[in-house]
Amino acid sequence: MKNFLVVGVGPHARRTHLPALAAGQASGLVGTLCGVDLLGATDVLVPYAADDGPRSLPVTLIEPFSSRLQALPERVRRTLDTVVDRRSIHAVVVSTEPAYHMVYTRWALERGLSVLLDKPLSVHADASTDPAQAGAILTDFDDIMECYRQAQRRFPQIMVTVQSQRRYHPAFWRIRECIAEVAAETSCPVTSIQSFHSDGQWRMPDEMIDLSYHGFDRGYGKAAHSGFHFFDIVPWLLAAGETSGKELDAVAVHAHVTRPGDLLAQMGLRDYERLFPAFAARNPYTEPELRSATRLFGEVDAFISMAYQSRGRTMTLGSINLVHNGFSQRGSLTPAHASLYKGNGRVRHETHIIEQGPFQAIHLHSLQTLTDGTESADPHALGNERHVEVHVFRNHTFRPDWVKYAGFDFGTLAAASASASASEVALPTQESSRRRATWEFLEYLDGRRTREGMSSELTGHRRGATLMAGAYLSMAQQWAGASPVATLDFRPAPQPASAQVQGPMEAVL
């Protein structure tokens, strides 16, 4: 069994990583657990809910430091080194504010510790307004890959994997298999892909300044929060359609965004005073003060277009449209401070529409609402809390042996993945997929899984980092009055066999 250190034990870690690691303890894959967090951010004993009931995690507190540092301050490093030695730590979960991901990952690799790295890989303060900070997102990837290669020479079994849960979701397995099958038959790549995500973060004007949770005050926003998942999953799907001579090698990215000042134009203080009679008494800011204070804040919504190219020709047109200011189930003026995630009205709406020339169209829809406490007749139905469905259309006139339409709902996706999953349960939910991502890491560390069997090793993430850097470069270049289009090399880093198209389920089309 391996002993784990969790760096950053905020709400996300308590909701996701700690319960998964506790389940690993119950299954004999995890030994002891401990945490590290910033002084003032938490207590020395952090409560969390595990599958078998309430637990608590011992936490060592460290002094805050600047996210712009490339290495840990000596005092912080000594504290972490002491924890590793005293508790015989083998692996680290990095679940801090994203701007700190790289500095902790470098430290862990130097110590020979395997890493489960939370998303996004990295981001920099002012990335949406400073082109240098935007470009550093991709430089970070190349730098940490070099650290990883050096660590592997010293510690051959070391592993860095990324918590990109959609790679573990049965709906995306199905889509990738369908793309690969048609590409193998026709040599046609994905010719267009449209992705949309809204998570209903309704934030009142004064809360733009006063609430830091998933805030915009660091100069970045939606694209660095849940947006990273789409920068990751889109290249992962596109790769299934690449064939010899049609490999993607460049991408042009153009982003349009709204910022907090735009939200004030959409709905100003008078609108909020009319909607919430108590708002005027609570709000200490005038509109000019809000505009001035949030001028350099990051993006709230981002609509991003891409042209994926091969040898100077456009192979695939794409869009990733990311919305924080979308449909929400928040109804009160007072935010739910105890749960600023779904407890505060955040609702996930997600769609992907994929065309593969004249041969295939694939739609994924996950259109949910939050439960109101009453039991749903069918929680997986459209508009309920666990809705997900995939629709696949094929040109059966061209190929009579193709089924012209096949639909997959929650039940069929779950049933298909049950026969293919050899370990942790694979339900078509984000919660189950996050658990599987952790479980895969635990199995590797325990010797039950090979490097080739890993779905999300760091080596397979350069394209995602490229798209995120491109989106922020486009934002920052526009802010600086330069070209709105960022064109970047889109060739992947050298990848292990684990990054090849996998077939966890038998095709049914």
Side-chain angles (χ1 to χ4, degrees):
M1 293 189 294
K2 306 299 183 182
N3 300 327
F4 278 76
L5 172 65
V6 181
V7 182
V9 292
H12 175 67
R14 300 178 204 184
R15 186 178 62 250
T16 300
H17 297 304
L18 296 181
L21 292 169
Q25 285 181 316
S27 298
L29 291 172
V30 175
T32 61
L33 290 175
C34 62
V36 166
D37 213 321
L38 298 177
L39 188 66
T42 189
D43 295 324
V44 295
L45 207 59
V46 168
Y48 65 98
D51 296 348
D52 56 0
R55 293 194 182 193
S56 59
L57 181 80
V59 176
T60 299
L61 301 179
I62 57 175
E63 294 182 1
F65 59 93
S66 171
S67 64
R68 297 183 185 274
L69 295 178
Q70 295 297 304
L72 291 175
E74 185 59 30
R75 194 167 181 176
V76 173
R77 174 184 285 274
R78 285 199 305 269
T79 299
L80 294 182
D81 287 344
T82 298
V83 172
V84 168
D85 293 337
R86 187 175 68 244
R87 296 186 176 271
S88 300
I89 298 298
H90 302 96
V92 175
V93 177
V94 177
S95 187
T96 63
E97 160 63 34
Y100 292 87
H101 282 180
M102 291 296 98
V103 69
Y104 284 111
T105 302
R106 289 189 190 96
W107 162 78
L109 290 175
E110 290 168 2
R111 286 294 313 244
L113 303 171
S114 290
V115 178
L116 174 60
L117 178 58
D118 218 338
K119 60 83 184 172
L121 302 180
S122 78
V123 72
H124 287 261
D126 305 320
S128 71
T129 57
D130 184 341
Q133 299 299 336
I137 294 169
L138 187 53
T139 303
D140 279 347
F141 179 86
D142 292 334
D143 288 347
I144 207 67
M145 270 301 304
E146 179 57 29
C147 291
Y148 190 27
R149 283 190 285 266
Q150 292 178 12
Q152 285 179 311
R153 287 194 282 269
R154 297 174 57 205
F155 313 101
Q157 295 305 309
I158 200 169
M159 170 60 62
V160 179
T161 187
V162 182
Q163 182 92 6
S164 295
Q165 69 254 20
R166 280 166 179 75
R167 296 189 182 203
Y168 299 86
H169 195 293
F172 290 98
W173 293 348
R174 174 58 64 200
I175 292 170
R176 200 170 195 235
E177 289 172 352
C178 291
I179 293 170
E181 185 175 316
V182 167
E185 292 287 335
T186 67
S187 294
C188 184
V190 171
T191 49
S192 67
I193 181 166
Q194 305 169 61
S195 300
F196 170 83
H197 184 263
S198 173
D199 57 358
Q201 182 182 244
W202 186 10
R203 187 159 292 191
M204 310 297 169
D206 58 324
E207 294 169 0
M208 287 288 185
I209 296 174
D210 296 339
L211 278 184
S212 62
Y213 177 77
H214 270 203
F216 314 98
D217 56 319
R218 298 179 182 89
Y220 52 84
K222 170 70 175 180
H225 296 154
S226 47
F228 173 82
H229 289 299
F230 301 86
F231 299 136
D232 173 67
I233 202 62
V234 166
W236 190 78
L237 293 173
L238 293 179
E242 291 181 80
T243 55
S244 179
K246 300 178 183 179
E247 299 88 354
L248 302 177
D249 55 30
V251 62
V253 184
H254 186 179
H256 291 281
V257 303
T258 58
R259 299 178 188 267
D262 301 307
L263 264 65
L264 284 170
Q266 294 167 355
M267 288 187 64
L269 296 186
R270 289 186 180 180
D271 297 312
Y272 278 94
E273 290 167 1
R274 185 176 66 256
L275 294 172
F276 299 98
F279 176 75
R282 188 189 80 175
N283 172 45
Y285 308 106
T286 65
E287 278 202 15
E289 288 172 338
L290 286 168
R291 293 183 187 281
S292 176
T294 62
R295 180 177 174 272
L296 295 176
F297 278 25
E299 75 287 356
V300 179
D301 300 339
F303 277 38
I304 308 161
S305 63
M306 291 90 169
Y308 301 92
Q309 300 164 3
S310 177
R311 305 181 186 188
R313 296 291 184 180
T314 297
M315 283 286 165
T316 309
L317 292 175
S319 63
I320 297 177
N321 297 329
L322 304 169
V323 175
H324 258 337
N325 186 33
F327 170 68
S328 171
Q329 286 181 250
R330 176 178 178 178
S332 66
L333 174 62
T334 304
H337 288 282
S339 178
L340 289 171
Y341 191 59
K342 288 192 176 181
N344 208 44
R346 293 182 69 178
V347 183
R348 184 170 59 84
H349 283 181
E350 178 175 345
T351 64
H352 300 266
I353 301 174
I354 300 165
E355 302 287 345
Q356 204 163 356
F359 304 110
Q360 180 168 241
I362 304 171
H363 289 229
L364 180 149
H365 301 282
S366 181
L367 305 174
Q368 304 175 350
T369 59
L370 301 179
T371 179
D372 58 4
T374 60
E375 186 174 348
S376 303
D378 180 5
H380 311 126
L382 178 65
N384 283 344
E385 59 267 25
R386 287 180 175 265
H387 170 255
V388 62
E389 57 190 23
V390 175
H391 304 274
V392 181
F393 304 85
R394 285 188 174 173
N395 186 346
H396 81 296
T397 305
F398 169 74
R399 281 284 303 269
D401 58 321
W402 281 351
V403 176
K404 67 177 182 179
Y405 167 74
F408 307 91
D409 60 11
F410 187 98
T412 53
L413 290 167
S417 62
S419 61
S421 176
S423 56
E424 181 72 3
V425 63
L427 293 175
T429 67
Q430 296 301 323
E431 296 83 1
S432 174
S433 299
R434 281 190 288 265
R435 180 69 65 92
R436 280 181 54 77
T438 301
W439 211 258
E440 184 180 271
F441 183 57
L442 301 183
E443 289 182 332
Y444 175 83
L445 296 180
D446 197 58
R448 305 184 191 184
R449 183 180 290 269
T450 65
R451 187 178 298 275
E452 291 71 28
M454 299 295 287
S455 303
S456 192
E457 189 177 1
L458 179 66
T459 49
H461 282 270
R462 192 179 196 278
R463 282 180 163 181
T466 300
L467 287 186
M468 184 168 163
Y472 277 111
L473 275 168
S474 176
M475 297 179 210
Q477 288 172 184
Q478 290 176 73
W479 185 269
S483 170
V485 178
T487 301
L488 298 169
D489 190 318
F490 201 59
R491 288 171 293 184
Q495 299 181 26
S498 60
Q500 299 170 3
V501 174
Q502 299 176 32
M505 300 182 290
E506 293 183 2
V508 296
L509 291 176

